[in-house]
Amino acid sequence: MNLPVIIDTATHVDGFIVGMTSCDGMTEATLEDMEGQPVRCQLRDGVQAAIALLDWSMPVRVHGLGRWRREHDGRWQLELVRVAGWAAVDEAAPDEVLAVLMSPENGWAKLPNPQEEWRE
């Protein structure tokens, strides 16, 4: 008999919040990842309040403890993320980001030690 392999590990997922439910004091959100797969997310109180106020058309990155199950064909399936925090994902195109970084007015020249700031 093959028992399923399940691990819990630090995980982050990018996607869009597509739904929220609350039952017995536990709030869960459904995140649709960038491949269109649904991801179940358990939300802590502070995270839940912040995500509930989001514009759901904006992509987010959630991070926390992910529960992964290894399928019989060897693929890993993310079952659940216990969300510890989240951040908005910047949708700027790479050429826009590079233009800001290459601009002489980007603020780096005003720092006392720009290379040290970059390393940090």
Side-chain angles (χ1 to χ4, degrees):
M1 179 166 95
N2 286 341
L3 295 176
V5 177
I6 298 173
I7 62 168
D8 290 337
T9 189
T11 301
H12 71 269
V13 181
D14 293 351
F16 295 88
I17 302 293
V18 294
M20 286 182 73
T21 59
S22 187
C23 183
D24 297 330
M26 174 60 69
T27 300
E28 288 196 2
T30 302
L31 181 82
E32 185 175 291
D33 71 12
M34 296 306 194
E35 286 79 39
Q37 298 299 312
V39 177
R40 224 175 102 214
C41 300
Q42 286 182 345
L43 306 176
R44 295 180 179 175
D45 291 339
V47 174
Q48 172 225 340
I51 285 182
L53 297 174
L54 274 179
D55 172 3
W56 287 9
S57 66
M58 164 178 102
V60 295
R61 173 173 293 147
V62 297
H63 63 89
L65 190 63
R67 170 154 293 164
W68 294 84
R69 174 189 297 270
R70 187 166 185 187
E71 302 293 338
H72 294 290
D73 61 4
R75 291 180 305 114
W76 286 94
Q77 181 68 36
L78 180 58
E79 291 186 337
L80 170 75
V81 178
R82 290 180 190 92
V83 178
W86 65 276
V89 175
D90 186 353
E91 291 189 281
D95 57 340
E96 293 173 24
V97 174
L98 287 174
V100 170
L101 291 174
M102 294 185 328
S103 166
E105 300 301 318
N106 64 19
W108 284 99
K110 296 176 185 172
L111 296 173
N113 190 343
Q115 275 86 15
E116 185 60 33
E117 289 292 326
W118 179 260
R119 281 190 285 276
E120 282 187 29

